[in-house]
Amino acid sequence: MKRLVYVLVLIIVSSCAKAEFTIVQIADAQLGFTAAEISQRTGEAYVNDLTYEADCLRKAVEHINVIKPDVVVFTGDQVNIPGDTVQWNAFAGIIAGIDKSVQVCHLPGNHDVLYVSGYVDSSPFTSRYGNDRFILSEKGINLIGLNTNLIRSGDLREQEQMEWLEAVLDKVKASEITLVFGHHPFFMTDIEEEDSYFPLPKGKRRIYFDLFTKAGVDAVYAGHRHNNSEGTYNGIPMKTTTSVGFQIGEASPSVRVISIRNGELSDELIEII
């Protein structure tokens, strides 16, 4: 088994070594989710046991340090309880092991913020990781991160974020690779699918994807589902990456490795256990 893992790591390294630019997306570390699920399912008292998710996240960090990507993007739900300092500190302690040569970007998930009557209080996240959105441009590649909680909730600050997004996309060149990241997927498999817990509201999907189409966005990546799914609209893939830890479905704890080679975009899921 150890030799199989070693061979797999060598294959990953060989594949990524030829890439001009490599991103590792990590979705839903969500430290504490397993303990919460056990408590809810059994009725037993909640115990803040982070063991399972912490072990998974450590394995992901080991993979990152072998791959040595240019960037790691955490697409939200770093923790399960936004006000739990123990969970936040455990998360920070583990990811501190990522090689210092790798840039790390964070976005807030719904478990990293507080929802109060349609208002999103992002301070549990922003007090630790700064802005709740980002733009990173290097080597003709643009990575754009959105706070999808604002889109989901109808928070009035969604308009401010939209204006920022439009300004960012206006600067994108047709020759560049542009990727958008968020916590919530805009849709799971079909932009016209009905509203449900996981995707963003149906009435907003085309607004954003028409903007992405106009700007030449190459792909959109999200998490939240704790399972994998994929759809396409106007030729733009909407890819939902499963959790690096607790699963809701048949997937295994994984990270997504996104590579740009010779101006071509590709990605693959790498199981970490």
Side-chain angles (χ1 to χ4, degrees):
M1 176 59 75
K2 287 185 177 179
R3 178 168 176 75
L4 177 60
V5 172
Y6 178 69
V7 171
L8 176 59
V9 169
L10 284 179
I11 291 171
I12 295 169
V13 172
S14 175
S15 173
C16 293
K18 299 177 182 178
E20 300 165 17
F21 200 85
T22 304
I23 306 116
V24 171
Q25 179 204 2
I26 299 183
D28 302 277
Q30 204 162 336
L31 272 62
F33 192 171
T34 300
E37 192 277 334
I38 291 173
S39 177
Q40 184 177 28
R41 176 167 44 83
T42 65
E44 297 176 1
Y46 174 75
V47 177
N48 202 13
D49 182 356
L50 314 181
T51 304
Y52 178 70
E53 289 87 9
D55 286 348
C56 289
L57 187 57
R58 287 190 191 96
K59 290 183 175 71
V61 169
E62 291 173 3
H63 278 71
I64 289 167
N65 288 340
V66 171
I67 298 169
K68 293 284 182 65
D70 296 274
V71 183
V72 171
V73 178
F74 286 92
T75 49
D77 281 4
Q78 274 81 194
V79 298
N80 190 57
I81 302 173
D84 193 314
T85 302
V86 171
Q87 294 180 4
W88 281 110
N89 288 345
F91 176 83
I94 295 168
I95 69 166
I98 296 174
D99 189 285
K100 302 308 179 189
S101 67
V102 179
Q103 298 184 75
V104 180
C105 299
H106 297 267
L107 292 171
N110 55 299
H111 284 267
D112 301 323
V113 303
L114 298 168
Y115 281 72
V116 184
S117 301
Y119 171 78
V120 179
D121 178 1
S122 297
S123 62
F125 173 87
T126 56
S127 64
R128 293 170 172 86
Y129 293 107
N131 208 334
D132 59 356
R133 59 185 183 239
F134 67 79
I135 170 66
L136 178 63
S137 297
E138 291 186 12
K139 302 179 181 178
I141 298 159
N142 305 297
L143 310 184
I144 300 171
L146 299 176
N147 182 353
T148 57
N149 293 293
L150 301 179
I151 304 171
R152 177 74 177 184
S153 67
D155 189 303
L156 293 177
R157 288 168 301 160
E158 179 191 356
Q159 181 58 36
E160 176 190 349
Q161 179 174 250
M162 173 62 89
E163 292 170 0
W164 172 86
L165 176 62
E166 289 172 335
V168 166
L169 290 175
D170 278 346
K171 298 177 182 178
V172 167
K173 297 177 182 177
S175 60
E176 296 175 331
I177 298 289
T178 301
L179 309 177
V180 174
F181 295 86
H183 178 63
H184 302 80
F186 284 86
F187 54 91
M188 308 307 300
T189 60
D190 189 324
I191 200 166
E192 291 298 329
E193 68 198 22
E194 294 304 314
D195 285 329
S196 62
Y197 175 73
F198 291 108
L200 289 169
K202 184 177 180 180
K204 296 184 177 183
R205 298 171 194 164
R206 285 184 182 272
I207 295 171
Y208 282 88
F209 262 74
D210 286 347
L211 182 61
F212 298 157
T213 301
K214 180 181 177 181
V217 168
D218 293 273
V220 181
Y221 296 95
H224 187 51
R225 178 63 182 85
H226 291 253
N227 204 348
N228 298 305
S229 68
E230 184 174 340
T232 303
Y233 177 72
N234 279 356
I236 303 173
M238 171 69 254
K239 297 195 175 186
T240 302
T241 302
T242 197
S243 170
V244 71
F246 189 94
Q247 304 297 303
I248 304 176
E250 73 284 355
S252 298
S254 305
V255 300
R256 188 180 295 274
V257 180
I258 305 165
S259 302
I260 295 96
R261 298 180 182 84
N262 300 317
E264 296 294 325
L265 174 68
S266 64
D267 62 67
E268 61 180 327
L269 287 164
I270 304 296
E271 295 184 4
I272 61 165
I273 58 174

